[in-house]
Amino acid sequence: MWLKPEEILLKNAFKLWVTEKDNEYFILQRRRGYGEGGGGLTGLLVGTLDTVLDSTSKVAPYRILHHTPDSQVYWSIACGVTKEEIVQHWEWLQQNIMRTLSVFDSSEDITSFVQGKIRGLIAEEGKTSLVLEEDPEKFREALLRFEKWFELPSEEKLVTYYSCSYWKGKVPCQGWLYLSTNFLCFYSYLLGSEVKLVISWDEIWRLEKTSNVILTESIHVLAHGEDHYFSMLLHLNETFVIMEQLADYSIKRLFDKEAFQREPALSDPLQITKRYLKGLEAHAKSDQFRAFFRLPKEENLLEVHESFLWVPFNHYNTLGKICLSENYLCFASQDGSQCHIIIPMREVVNVEKPDPSSRALTVCVRGKRALRFSEVRDYQRLANTIRSRCGISASPQHSASSEVTHSLHNNSSKAVSTEALMTVFHPQDVENLDPKMLKEKMKEQSWNIHFSEYGRGTSMFFTRKTRDLIVRGVPEALRGELWMLFSGAVNDMATHPGYYSELVEQSLGTSTLATDEIERDLHRSLPEHPAFQSDTGISALRRVLTAYAYRNPKIGYCQAMNILTSVLLLYAKEEEAFWLLVAVCERMLPDYFNRRIIGALVDQAVFEDLIRENLPQLVENMTDLSFFSSVSLSWFLTLFISVLPIESAVNVVDCFFYDGIKAILQLGLAVLDYNMEALVCCHDDAEAVTILNKFFDSVTNKDSPLPPTVQQASVGNNEKTSHVKVDISELIREAYEKYGSIRSEDVESSRKRNKLYVIQTLEDTTKQNVVSEFRLIDLDELYNLFKRQHFLSCYWTMKSPALLHHDPSLAYLEQYQLGFQQFSMLFSLLEPWAFCTTKSTLSLWVFRLIDENQDGLINFKEFCCALGAGSFTNKLKFLFKLHLPPGESFVDDTTFCFDSKMTSSSSSSSQTQFIQFSKTLYNIFHGDPEEESLYRAVAHVTSLLLRMEEVGRRLQEPSSPPATTAAADTAATSAEESPTEEASTTPGSSNTSGSQDSQDAGSDPPETEWSFSFEQVLASLLNEPAIVNFFERPVDIHLKLGQAKVAQLRMSVKQTVGFSSLSGRRSSAQTRHNFFLFLTVLLIQTCSEAEIPKIHLCIFIIGVS
């Protein structure tokens, strides 16, 4: 490898290098301890020094130096892993540089010329692969070490590397941490002790920053049940962020392919660099920005400016940050006032001329309101940016939200309901002056005062006082409006006029799996509420759920969506309920409503962490906190709607739309805290469930103005008097007082930390479910091998068959699939016939046989079906089937071609198939210690079967001439075929050629082909003890799996065996097998019955020879 010319002092390196070649201008040297005479104490010391100092010499022990006769300075210009590589560079210098150097007059010119040539070579080499790296020269050297030490495929992309200590037990090993697209690698070499660690990102269960007495700060990695700690990192936070991003990238690409497809930035795993990951970090900041301000997913964080905002209701400036996106201007305080505001560009009327003295600008919005930002560093450019954004956004479709909503309802389909169901089925009685209605009016008055001070609508200030009002309860009349505002759904609806009506019309009458499930659950959604006992409520629910399933087919419809949507329809208009559902499913509760509900499971893990932190007494008395995960699943999926009475549950939904999942976590902790004493005394899980159910039945909403006909009845009516009534407002207030300190940032960090563990736990549960279906030993390891082989097909390409044919609708068992090339590699690692000379052909036949749906991919179930045969009869039957369609069907170099006529099962093999079956047995026996006796046994069985066929054919056709010539010709042709021809030989093709021959023969009658049934073959082979013993010989499966695990990754480094490789060179052993079989068949077909004993003798002699 050519190196950037670097000045060195040869005097300091004299004892570490040995000169092997030199001339007037160049020196070729070898590192001491390497090559001939290497090793010993010198090799240990030099190797340790090279590793600790990150010297390229560790992996490239040869180098070439440039110097001039009159200079003491030497320049390193090339290094090499092997002597052949460095000699190649030396010869290039001799041929291309030495002759030119004689024309220069000064040493400076010579050195300048050599350096320019070397830099040109380096630039040419790194033109494509290293242009995106921050320091291409050092990265080239690190890449050389990475490739040499870990022997990963050349496609594996090294992202970055760091010096660190790896703790192996209680002893630290100083070395280098290499982070690549698919692997975490570590290498250390200290005094002859080499430590090499390779962990794929998809195998990691936990990744977190930790600290203890010994390690002040380290990175903890849990994989395969083993803990790994990395410390002494100069940039620990940067390293951890990159590791976290790579692990998340791997999870999305390999486990959560649906999420991966939604992010085009992750499209090519081979282009990831450290700089690219910094772009992902910006992408993550945009995600946090959208989540905090509840903005549409199309928005990206473009600019951030520190400034002060004048708060008119408090009459002071609050410090914070201005966050600017494509269509929104947002501000969030940083002084603890918990104040933030969202200004859609469509609401901005004008940006007044900036004030240079205070570096301030004033933004005027609709409603005669103005926002004054001061002490903005780049205030002039910010003002121009807002003006330009407002000009872009000032199209008719971005008018005021109230106008848009009004026009929407005027143009909406007649079938769409424009009123909230609660106003239809429970209109408020203005003249009713009972205490509950009076309190409801007081709540409305408090909110109207708040609107007058803080604004109303999309440009309202969100403050601590806003949260206080929400904790006390939102008035029934304002609930729909505030839900739309807090969730950000008001912006979605304002920027997509007419979208819902179009969806309703397009989805009307469609019939899918989602619509069938929706119809099944319609009448299970709040069935006790009058609104859903009528066609009005049921029809509105059907339209919203069907429209969403049509909009987002990857989610479609999931259970719990019907319960949530029912509550939304009670307080929001139909179109508003649709956009609220979009906000919940796609922003506020990501990955909740899909096949594996990963989002809910992650939040349950976060909930467990919060229990450990905040409820230590409960943790001390509960041996297994996973109980709370199973109990709380419905709390998260339905926002407590499924466990609380509806009049109480809506208060929880109020808090959720304002504070997000943090509100649900706080309330869950408050529920457990309230029932602490009873839960601690529980004897089993069932008793704990009963306690919690009774508690939820006792929760009421004393301020609810809803009549008894609308309020939800308690589940445990018979025993509810035994519990003291708990008011929902008091419970929520207590949750905010005790656990309000939980920060949204901490929740998101915990989500990231637990996501790996949750997904790996799901994978492990799935594996156990799959393994339990089969009665085979060591299936755990086999499943891991199969899954890893699937991932190997996805690591270095986005066009692998497993990815291209990925179908999320399939059962999860069938998500991991292998194409032929991956199956062939796994087959070669696991098949028991280690000396089989035609592995590629045999693996191809096995693949075609077990590929039940003939899609060119096999899942684990199909793979296990092939391994289920244990007895001699079953093993032989499997081999026999390999030579019948579809096992031995036509295949070209690149695609599978299946003939429907050939997929039918056949109980007997034709002449060509039987000859191929015999050849397969010969190939399997090759290299076995009992090879000769096995050959003789096969020859004996073959001669016996052919003799039986000859006698049977003569009895059936006594007048027909013997058809020995055709059979012998067929045998001869088959025996001379190469492995490629063996793979492509089919019964159909031989029949076709046979029909063509008969047509060419004109009047000659067609010859009858002989065949053998499996029973005949089995009966003959059972008489040969050598063959029976061979197939019944026990195989050490555990040892085989262990060897395969070690060799699996190494196999992928080598060139994958494809279909074209079936045309490989024929070995001498294969030629001997074909010739032996040809002579056997020819002798039997051409000799008379009296000569059979002589034939046996000939076969025996040939076999022995």
Side-chain angles (χ1 to χ4, degrees), residues 770-771 773-779 782-783 786 813 823 850 852 858-869 878:
V770 171
V771 167
E773 296 183 16
F774 305 98
R775 295 180 179 178
L776 297 174
I777 62 174
D778 292 303
L779 266 190
L782 183 62
Y783 183 87
F786 188 90
L813 164 63
F823 169 81
I850 65 178
E852 295 177 358
I858 61 166
N859 57 40
F860 185 71
K861 184 177 181 180
E862 293 171 329
F863 187 72
C864 281
C865 288
L867 301 179
F878 185 78

Side-chain angles (χ1 to χ4, degrees), residues 626-773:
S626 61
F627 159 74
F628 296 112
S629 295
S630 58
V631 170
S632 63
L633 181 59
S634 61
W635 305 357
F636 291 95
L637 284 174
T638 64
L639 308 179
F640 283 92
I641 295 171
S642 63
V643 294
L644 288 175
I646 184 64
E647 66 275 9
S648 301
V650 292
N651 285 37
V652 179
V653 178
D654 296 339
C655 300
F656 167 74
F657 278 122
Y658 189 83
D659 275 321
I661 196 62
K662 172 175 172 258
I664 306 300
L665 294 168
Q666 290 174 177
L667 184 60
L669 292 173
V671 168
L672 297 181
D673 189 18
Y674 194 93
N675 295 276
M676 176 78 74
E677 294 182 4
L679 290 172
V680 167
C681 298
C682 286
H683 296 90
D684 52 35
D685 292 351
E687 187 178 350
V689 171
T690 303
I691 290 172
L692 291 175
N693 286 338
K694 289 180 179 179
F695 170 77
F696 288 129
D697 291 339
S698 68
V699 176
T700 62
N701 188 349
K702 64 182 181 181
D703 297 332
S704 175
L706 300 180
T709 55
V710 175
Q711 293 189 16
Q712 182 177 345
S714 298
V715 178
N717 289 321
N718 297 332
E719 302 179 7
K720 66 179 182 179
T721 55
S722 62
H723 255 272
V724 179
K725 294 294 182 183
V726 180
D727 182 62
I728 187 63
S729 297
E730 290 298 319
L731 186 62
I732 291 175
R733 182 184 59 78
E734 185 178 340
Y736 272 91
E737 286 179 356
K738 287 188 174 181
Y739 310 109
S741 59
I742 298 174
R743 298 167 61 245
S744 299
E745 295 83 355
D746 295 335
V747 172
E748 287 301 319
S749 176
S750 184
R751 275 177 164 178
K752 286 183 179 180
R753 186 173 63 253
N754 284 287
K755 187 175 182 180
L756 287 172
Y757 183 79
V758 167
I759 289 181
Q760 294 291 9
T761 304
L762 272 177
E763 291 291 311
D764 193 60
T765 304
T766 304
K767 179 182 72 175
Q768 297 304 327
N769 293 336
V770 171
V771 167
S772 64
E773 296 183 16

Side-chain angles (χ1 to χ4, degrees), residues 158-228:
L158 176 62
V159 176
T160 187
Y161 60 101
Y162 298 95
S163 173
C164 73
S165 290
Y166 167 64
W167 289 78
K168 190 177 180 182
K170 297 182 179 180
V171 180
C173 303
Q174 183 65 33
W176 290 86
L177 178 69
Y178 293 85
L179 307 179
S180 67
T181 308
N182 299 296
F183 298 95
L184 178 155
C185 305
F186 176 83
Y187 184 86
S188 174
Y189 183 87
L190 295 172
L191 298 177
S193 176
E194 185 179 56
V195 177
K196 189 183 295 186
L197 181 70
V198 179
I199 303 174
S200 58
W201 295 112
D202 55 80
E203 297 171 343
I204 293 178
W205 283 61
R206 282 203 181 278
L207 179 63
E208 55 191 354
K209 288 190 290 186
T210 60
S211 60
N212 53 40
V213 178
I214 299 176
L215 304 176
T216 54
E217 203 170 14
S218 63
I219 296 176
H220 171 222
V221 177
L222 174 62
H224 297 300
E226 297 181 4
D227 294 300
H228 307 276

Side-chain angles (χ1 to χ4, degrees), residues 824-1027:
S824 180
M825 282 192 284
L826 189 58
F827 178 84
S828 66
L829 292 173
L830 293 176
E831 55 87 19
W833 309 301
F835 301 102
C836 182
T837 55
T838 55
K839 287 184 181 181
S840 56
T841 305
L842 197 59
S843 64
L844 178 60
W845 292 346
V846 173
F847 182 85
R848 285 199 291 245
L849 181 63
I850 65 178
D851 184 15
E852 295 177 358
N853 56 359
Q854 301 177 1
D855 62 347
L857 295 169
I858 61 166
N859 57 40
F860 185 71
K861 184 177 181 180
E862 293 171 329
F863 187 72
C864 281
C865 288
L867 301 179
S871 65
F872 168 74
T873 303
N874 290 336
K875 290 177 181 177
L876 195 64
K877 185 182 292 185
F878 185 78
L879 280 176
F880 190 80
K881 284 183 178 180
L882 292 182
H883 300 81
L884 303 178
E888 193 188 15
S889 55
F890 174 75
V891 62
D892 61 17
D893 287 344
T894 56
T895 60
F896 287 94
C897 300
F898 294 95
D899 187 352
S900 59
K901 296 179 181 180
M902 300 174 65
T903 58
S904 60
S905 60
S906 173
S907 59
S908 61
S909 62
S910 67
Q911 173 182 320
T912 307
Q913 292 164 351
F914 175 73
I915 292 174
Q916 185 58 58
F917 174 72
S918 302
K919 293 168 66 177
T920 300
L921 289 178
Y922 280 115
N923 291 328
I924 289 175
F925 299 151
H926 175 62
D928 191 84
E930 303 294 329
E931 179 179 2
E932 296 302 332
S933 60
L934 289 168
Y935 283 169
R936 289 195 293 271
V938 173
H940 183 264
V941 169
T942 305
S943 65
L944 180 61
L945 288 172
L946 291 176
R947 182 181 176 188
M948 290 169 56
E949 182 278 329
E950 180 69 19
V951 173
R953 188 177 59 79
R954 289 179 179 176
L955 289 174
Q956 291 177 5
E957 300 178 11
S959 60
S960 300
T964 57
T965 306
D969 291 344
T970 305
T973 304
S974 301
E976 292 175 357
E977 286 177 340
S978 66
T980 306
E981 292 162 335
E982 294 168 17
S984 59
T985 302
T986 72
S989 61
S990 78
N991 292 340
T992 304
S993 61
S995 62
Q996 291 174 352
D997 293 340
S998 61
Q999 291 174 3
D1000 295 339
S1003 60
D1004 293 340
E1007 297 177 350
T1008 305
E1009 280 203 353
W1010 42 265
S1011 62
F1012 295 108
S1013 66
F1014 172 70
E1015 289 73 15
Q1016 289 175 305
V1017 176
L1018 177 62
S1020 303
L1021 291 174
L1022 281 172
N1023 292 321
E1024 299 295 334
I1027 296 179

Side-chain angles (χ1 to χ4, degrees), residues 522-541:
L522 283 177
H523 296 279
R524 303 177 186 174
S525 310
L526 302 184
E528 71 285 343
H529 199 285
F532 298 100
Q533 295 171 359
S534 68
D535 184 63
T536 303
I538 294 295
S539 298
L541 180 60

